[in-house]
Amino acid sequence: EVQLVESGGGSVQTGGSLRLSCQISGISGAYNCLAWFRQAPGKQREGVAAIATSGGGTEYNWSVKGRFTISQDDEKSTVDLDMASLKPEDTGVYYCASYARYIWAEPCKWERYNQWGQGTQVTVSS
């Protein structure tokens, strides 16, 4: 059973930084996609950043490019999201997600994530 547990959310002012971490357990297979999504009040959940394991690359939502960095720590079994230059529009519940891809060259796709964490709140005040 896949378990994803987020931590690191909180409240910051505009321009501040936060680091989110997702503890991963139960994932099998050599190739997986790991991602962070967010959902703002009254809006649909959207993909923020994704990383393909085994050196498959990263992908970012255009709104966070250059400000957010996703990384994977195999030793700690975590996927982290470093967020800098935060804006009020970054406010929302941030979710860790995963799915198994079966071919290394297959790119990660936002609509395929099927395992989810419980979410952690990020609030950016102006």
Side-chain angles (χ1 to χ4, degrees), residues 3 9 15 23 30 55-57 64 70 73 76 85 96 103 107 110-111 117:
Q3 288 193 326
Q23 187 70 51
V64 306
I70 189 170
D73 189 324
K76 296 180 180 179
S85 303
C96 180
I103 303 173
W110 299 119
E111 65 271 19

Side-chain angles (χ1 to χ4, degrees), residues 32-69:
N32 290 277
C33 289
L34 307 172
W36 287 93
F37 285 72
R38 68 186 178 191
Q39 187 166 21
K43 294 188 177 181
Q44 287 189 332
R45 187 160 54 188
E46 64 176 354
V48 174
I51 185 167
T53 63
S54 301
T58 58
E59 181 181 3
Y60 294 91
N61 184 305
W62 67 270
S63 67
V64 306
K65 276 186 177 179
R67 299 189 297 122
F68 290 12
T69 302

Side-chain angles (χ1 to χ4, degrees), residues 51-123:
I51 185 167
T53 63
S54 301
T58 58
E59 181 181 3
Y60 294 91
N61 184 305
W62 67 270
S63 67
V64 306
K65 276 186 177 179
R67 299 189 297 122
F68 290 12
T69 302
I70 189 170
S71 60
Q72 180 192 3
D73 189 324
D74 287 334
E75 288 190 6
K76 296 180 180 179
S77 296
T78 62
V79 58
D80 302 316
L81 186 67
D82 288 294
M83 306 185 293
S85 303
L86 284 161
K87 306 174 182 179
E89 50 264 44
D90 294 317
T91 294
V93 179
Y94 281 69
Y95 298 90
C96 180
S98 74
Y99 77 92
R101 75 189 199 280
Y102 298 102
I103 303 173
W104 179 84
E106 178 185 336
C108 296
K109 298 183 179 181
W110 299 119
E111 65 271 19
R112 293 195 60 186
Y113 288 86
N114 55 18
Q115 305 292 331
W116 299 88
Q118 82 287 352
T120 186
Q121 177 70 43
V122 171
T123 303

